[in-house]
């Protein structure tokens, strides 16, 4: 995944593209001394996210042309980071759950698929941004669907494609 992550950039977007890949990163217990060039932590996570939208070009490229684009980009980066924090903070087995009629997610004990987990790490950020205050944070999957609509994405989605979590001392 890291080779793929190193090659990913969300700009420039091909003129006819309606999707882009990006990576959300988080290191828990990280420290960044004044002379350090990066940060380190005892547990870290990375998520590969696909953003798909009919208005993708205007969402991503508007960051260079108007303040709303800069704001949108900051909100999207916050979502990516919250997804990576979720992986670091909670035991996760896979991305999407096998759904059964009537399953709500969040009530099960132990490791769960990411999309079935309660989205604890996004709540504080959503509370600070009025358009996301009403998001249903009972599970990550539902939250991503609602975030897509509330953020201004036209006929699109935000989707986690892959993730990686590691701890200091673990073998890869």
């Amino acid at each position: 995944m890291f080779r793929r992550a190193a090659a990913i950039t969300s700009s420039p977007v091909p003129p006819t593209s309606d999707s882009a890949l990006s990576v959300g990163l988080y290191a828990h217990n990280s420290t960044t001394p004044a002379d350090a060039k990066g940060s380190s932590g005892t547990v870290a996570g990375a998520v590969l996210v696909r953003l798909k939208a009919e208005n993708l070009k205007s969402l991503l490229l508007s960051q260079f042309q108007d303040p709303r684009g800069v704001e949108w980009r900051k909100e999207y980066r916050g979502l990516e980071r919250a997804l990576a924090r979720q992986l670091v903070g909670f035991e996760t087995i896979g991305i999407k759950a096998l759904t059964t009629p009537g399953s709500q997610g969040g009530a099960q004990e132990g490791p769960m698929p990411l999309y079935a987990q309660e989205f604890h790490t996004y709540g504080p950020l959503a509370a600070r941004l009025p358009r996301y205050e009403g998001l249903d944070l009972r599970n990550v999957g539902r939250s991503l669907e609602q975030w897509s609509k509330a953020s201004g994405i036209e006929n699109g989605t935000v989707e986690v494609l892959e993730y990686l979590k590691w701890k200091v001392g673990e073998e890869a």
Side-chain angles (χ1 to χ4, degrees), residues 20-39:
L21 298 176
S22 61
V23 177
L25 302 168
Y26 180 74
H28 183 65
N29 289 334
S30 63
T31 57
T32 308
D35 59 347
K37 293 183 178 162
S39 38

Side-chain angles (χ1 to χ4, degrees), residues 29-52:
N29 289 334
S30 63
T31 57
T32 308
D35 59 347
K37 293 183 178 162
S39 38
S40 60
T42 57
V43 182
V47 292
L48 179 61
V49 182
R50 179 175 56 197
L51 171 62
K52 187 171 180 163

Side-chain angles (χ1 to χ4, degrees), residues 10 45 94:
S10 57

Side-chain angles (χ1 to χ4, degrees), residues 88-147:
V88 168
F90 299 92
E91 289 300 319
T92 303
I93 52 169
I95 296 172
K96 294 181 180 178
L98 296 174
T99 57
T100 56
S103 67
Q104 295 296 315
Q108 176 182 329
E109 293 290 323
M112 297 172 54
L114 176 65
Y115 277 31
Q117 295 175 11
E118 193 167 331
F119 203 0
H120 292 286
T121 58
Y122 192 69
L125 185 57
R128 291 193 308 259
L129 301 166
R131 75 167 134 197
Y132 303 121
E133 281 181 308
L135 288 185
D136 182 354
L137 300 174
R138 286 182 289 172
N139 71 45
V140 173
R142 188 176 301 120
S143 298
L144 291 177
E145 288 173 17
Q146 292 179 356
W147 190 93

Side-chain angles (χ1 to χ4, degrees), residues 56-130:
L56 179 66
K57 185 177 174 186
S58 67
L59 288 172
L60 294 180
L61 298 181
S62 66
Q63 69 179 328
F64 303 111
Q65 298 158 359
D66 71 59
R68 173 63 189 121
V70 173
E71 179 185 327
W72 187 89
R73 186 71 170 162
K74 184 177 177 182
E75 293 168 8
Y76 181 65
R77 288 291 182 208
L79 179 67
E80 291 172 328
R81 181 173 165 85
L83 288 165
R85 286 183 67 209
Q86 185 79 19
L87 289 168
V88 168
F90 299 92
E91 289 300 319
T92 303
I93 52 169
I95 296 172
K96 294 181 180 178
L98 296 174
T99 57
T100 56
S103 67
Q104 295 296 315
Q108 176 182 329
E109 293 290 323
M112 297 172 54
L114 176 65
Y115 277 31
Q117 295 175 11
E118 193 167 331
F119 203 0
H120 292 286
T121 58
Y122 192 69
L125 185 57
R128 291 193 308 259
L129 301 166

